[in-house]
Structure formats: structure tokens, C-alpha cells
Amino acid sequence: MKYDYLIVGAGLFGAVFAHEAKKAGKKCLVIDKRNHIAGNIYCENIEGINVHKYGAHIFHTSNKEVWDYINQFAEFNHYINSPVAAYKDETYNLPFNMNTFSRLWGIRTPQEAKDIIEKQRAEYGVAEPKNLEEQALSLAGKDVYEKLIKGYTEKQWGRPCTELPAFIIKRLPFRFIYDNNYFNDRYQGIPIGGYTPIVEKMLEGIEVRLETDYFDFIKDNPEVADVILFTGMIDEFYGYKLGALAYRTVRFETEVLDCDNYQGNAVVNYTEREVPYTRIIEHKHFEFGKQPKTVISREYSSEWKPGIEPYYPVNNEENNELFAKYRALADKEERVIFGGRLGNYKYYDMDKVIEAALMLVKERL
């Protein structure tokens, strides 16, 4: 049976494209090597709690078209992302705002906070920062850097801040108001019932085959579709023939606890280098859960190796140059198009995934 589109990956990008292609009268086959749909936004129900299996996903956007689009498939609650940072026995609000500065320095007014930051910045001012540490100190000063940036960043990237390029922190947003809302976007929330039902609705009436590896499948079915939309790793598609792109990955330790509230917040970052995990997610707080038990996930950042799930592209100069070479190969393909985080070697928030998928829909359909 021949299809118009073979869509490799049942994540958000592939699901949006498949949904729109079906509406346009196209016949699609979606395959995924995992045993579930929804990619990294997949939620698993444990003890009546929708657990974000691959890390916290908070939907936020300023694009009304995207907000209206996703709301076709789910009703969203009014969750506002207000993470907390734990450093030794101290607790701070994120993003950096007047609550943070008041806790750090015992001050109350924006001018007091500005004066302290400016004084500390001047002490470490570097005209041309050579690494992330110099960049952060010249932007934020010693206190914010040492308590809230240094350890967390080193865990995220697996190397000292002195060995990380300065461009990773281009700017640090300071808010001189008492506002813990992490995102500035007009629309934000969590879908009631989790993300998996959204993708289920998108893929209604479309053939989906799980636990199906593309490379094995295409060997046996080379002419299965007129066009292939590939949302996997672009370097893997080409057999790593130009070299492997670098990624960071995340490992999760998830456990059910016999208490109704472990940490009082959905997201707590651990900014001390000595604490091995970067953060703890308590999933029930995304949906204001009242279940008698709770589920937490500790997140550990590590270097990616083949065979494990890649999460974040390492978009330094060397990797971007290598990706450009793969992109040049991709541009010559007549029946293969690439999309999503791994196909474009780019970190996307969920709203940007939908935007990019809808743009491809406009181009193709």
C-alpha cells in the first residue's frame, strides 16, 4: 500500500503535519521506534498523576494562532511556571526578580538591587569575556553567579564554566519587580489530562506503527511513500558519514512517594554543584493535584552517546558548521524533508515546534 507521506516520529512536529496532511486528503503512515506516541511530551499516568516522562513541559506562547491551534485538542489550566532554586539551605525564586534579590541581600527596593548588581558587575567587568564564567560575572556579579548560575550550568553542560563558551549566556534577564512568572508569554498552561491525548487526537484516523525502526523499515519498504518526513537525527539519517553531532541528554529517576506533597512546587532547581541532579519535578503540581501520593523525577544531565535519547543540541561553532554540511545534503534530497528538534539540530519550545510544522504544511500542502 502506497502512502503520500511516511512520517518518521510520532512527536509533536510529526503529529501536527500528519493531522494537517490528512485534512488535505493525503494518506499518511506514521512510524516511531518507541512503544508510545507523543515523543518527548508523552505523559504516563501513575497514581492518577500525569507524569511528564521526558521532563517538564510547560506550554507557553505569545502566538495567538498557535494557542488557538493547540486549544482545538485540549483544555488548558492556568498553571504559571514559577520555579524555585535551592542552594545549600537557602531558597530563591526564579527568574531573577525582586523576590530573589530581597532574599539574597535583605533589600526591598529596585534601586538597592540595581546598585548592588552594578557594583558587583564593575568589580568583575571584562570588556571581552573569554568564557561563560567571565561573561556571567560581568553580567550578574558574584552573588547571583555563584549561588544561582555556576553549579547548575556546570551540571547542565558537564564541564566547568571556565571551559564553556561565553555565548551560551548572551544576556541575563533581571526583573526589578516582584514577579515569579518565568515566562513573559501571554498564553501559558498545562493541558488538563496531560499531553498524550493531544497527540492521540491529532493522529485520529491515521495509521501509526510503533516500535518500528525507520532504517529497518525502509530497507524492506523503499517505495512505501512519495515523500518522507524525517524528524529523527539528521546525522544518523546519513549514517554519521560527516561525523556525529554533539548532544546533551537527560536521565530521569522517577519514584512514587507515600506523601501528598514533597516539595511544594512543580520545579525546584538545585544550583549547588555537589548535588548530582539539576532539578526535581513534582508532577502533580502541574495540574494542582490532590492525590494522596506524589510522583517526583530527579533529572541528571550527561553527555549523549549513541543508543540513548538525545535532548539538547550543543550549538557551538563546530557543531553548527557540521550541521550546515548535513543541511546541504538534505537540501539536495528530492523525496525526504527534515523537521523537528533533531532534524533541524535546534532546540525548540513546543509552540515553536507547532509554528515550524504549520509553516511546512503551508509550503507543502
Side-chain angles (χ1 to χ4, degrees):
M1 186 176 281
K2 183 123 181 202
Y3 300 86
D4 296 302
Y5 287 95
L6 170 64
I7 296 161
V8 183
L12 191 54
F13 191 100
V16 169
F17 187 87
H19 180 79
E20 295 301 315
K22 179 178 180 285
K23 270 170 42 181
K26 304 295 182 186
K27 189 167 192 173
C28 300
L29 170 63
V30 178
I31 63 171
D32 200 294
K33 64 183 178 184
R34 291 176 175 171
N35 64 358
H36 61 75
I37 61 167
N40 281 10
I41 63 172
Y42 173 70
C43 293
E44 180 182 14
N45 193 284
I46 301 174
E47 297 288 342
I49 298 163
N50 291 307
V51 172
H52 295 208
K53 181 103 173 171
Y54 301 95
H57 284 81
I58 297 121
F59 198 92
H60 59 97
T61 188
S62 292
N63 185 328
K64 188 171 188 305
E65 183 189 351
V66 167
W67 181 245
D68 290 344
Y69 185 84
I70 196 74
N71 272 268
Q72 298 175 85
F73 306 102
E75 184 182 349
F76 280 73
N77 67 20
H78 59 280
Y79 176 83
I80 297 292
N81 191 32
S82 304
V84 167
Y87 176 79
K88 299 188 186 294
D89 59 350
E90 300 163 14
T91 304
Y92 297 96
N93 292 105
L94 297 173
F96 308 136
N97 69 73
M98 284 304 299
N99 289 309
T100 322
F101 308 140
S102 178
R103 180 85 176 88
L104 265 172
W105 301 311
I107 54 93
R108 187 176 297 163
T109 68
Q111 193 56 54
E112 287 174 295
K114 287 176 183 176
D115 289 346
I116 292 170
I117 290 168
E118 200 46 56
K119 182 171 182 285
Q120 291 193 5
R121 284 180 59 189
E123 285 170 14
Y124 291 93
V126 180
E128 290 184 25
K130 296 182 183 63
N131 56 52
L132 188 145
E133 178 162 291
E134 290 183 358
Q135 174 81 329
L137 284 167
S138 64
L139 287 171
K142 180 184 177 189
D143 292 343
V144 171
Y145 171 67
E146 290 193 344
K147 291 190 175 187
L148 301 176
I149 297 171
K150 186 177 191 294
Y152 190 87
T153 305
E154 290 184 346
K155 287 187 285 189
Q156 279 279 61
W157 293 96
R159 45 188 64 83
C161 286
T162 50
E163 293 176 17
L164 289 167
F167 73 77
I168 289 175
I169 297 183
K170 289 182 179 157
R171 63 188 183 90
L172 282 174
F174 291 133
R175 291 186 193 160
F176 295 99
I177 53 175
Y178 289 89
D179 179 11
N180 299 324
N181 182 351
Y182 196 81
F183 301 117
N184 287 315
D185 291 308
R186 180 173 175 186
Y187 309 105
Q188 59 182 301
I190 301 281
I192 296 166
Y195 287 96
T196 310
I198 291 177
V199 179
E200 283 172 355
K201 286 177 185 170
M202 286 179 176
L203 295 175
E204 258 172 31
I206 296 167
E207 187 179 347
V208 178
R209 299 187 198 179
L210 300 174
E211 298 181 275
T212 301
D213 179 82
Y214 166 76
F215 300 101
D216 295 336
F217 180 77
I218 206 69
K219 269 185 213 159
D220 298 332
N221 306 275
E223 302 299 323
V224 68
D226 295 330
V227 178
I228 297 165
L229 169 57
F230 188 83
T231 69
M233 296 162 62
I234 192 169
D235 50 346
E236 185 184 23
F237 181 87
Y238 289 107
Y240 306 104
K241 67 181 181 183
L242 304 176
L245 291 162
Y247 295 88
R248 296 292 293 171
T249 191
V250 184
R251 178 173 64 81
F252 302 94
E253 281 181 2
T254 297
E255 62 177 310
V256 178
L257 300 178
D258 201 10
C259 66
D260 67 339
N261 187 1
Y262 174 72
Q263 63 186 17
N265 205 46
V267 183
V268 177
N269 291 1
Y270 284 79
T271 60
E272 206 180 336
R273 184 70 182 90
E274 291 66 32
V275 176
Y277 40 85
T278 54
R279 60 184 185 173
I280 296 179
I281 307 301
E282 188 168 8
H283 301 269
K284 72 190 301 180
H285 296 310
F286 290 130
E287 296 186 63
F288 314 107
K290 299 283 190 280
Q291 296 88 349
K293 294 188 179 183
T294 194
V295 181
I296 64 166
S297 297
R298 293 180 182 86
E299 296 188 9
Y300 299 80
S301 180
S302 63
E303 211 72 39
W304 174 82
K305 295 183 182 75
I308 55 179
E309 181 64 31
Y311 278 78
Y312 306 104
V314 181
N315 289 118
N316 59 19
E317 199 174 328
E318 180 188 353
N319 282 298
N320 288 343
E321 282 176 10
L322 179 56
F323 170 68
K325 291 174 184 171
Y326 279 118
R327 185 73 251 176
L329 292 178
D331 289 341
K332 292 174 185 162
E333 296 284 350
E334 290 184 4
R335 60 185 284 255
V336 182
I337 45 181
F338 293 84
R341 173 178 55 99
L342 303 177
N344 288 318
Y345 196 64
K346 183 178 179 182
Y347 179 76
Y348 284 109
D349 285 326
M350 286 176 285
D351 63 322
K352 297 295 187 285
V353 171
I354 293 170
E355 265 179 38
L358 291 176
M359 197 175 295
L360 183 64
V361 166
K362 283 174 186 165
E363 284 171 20
R364 290 274 164 174
L365 303 172

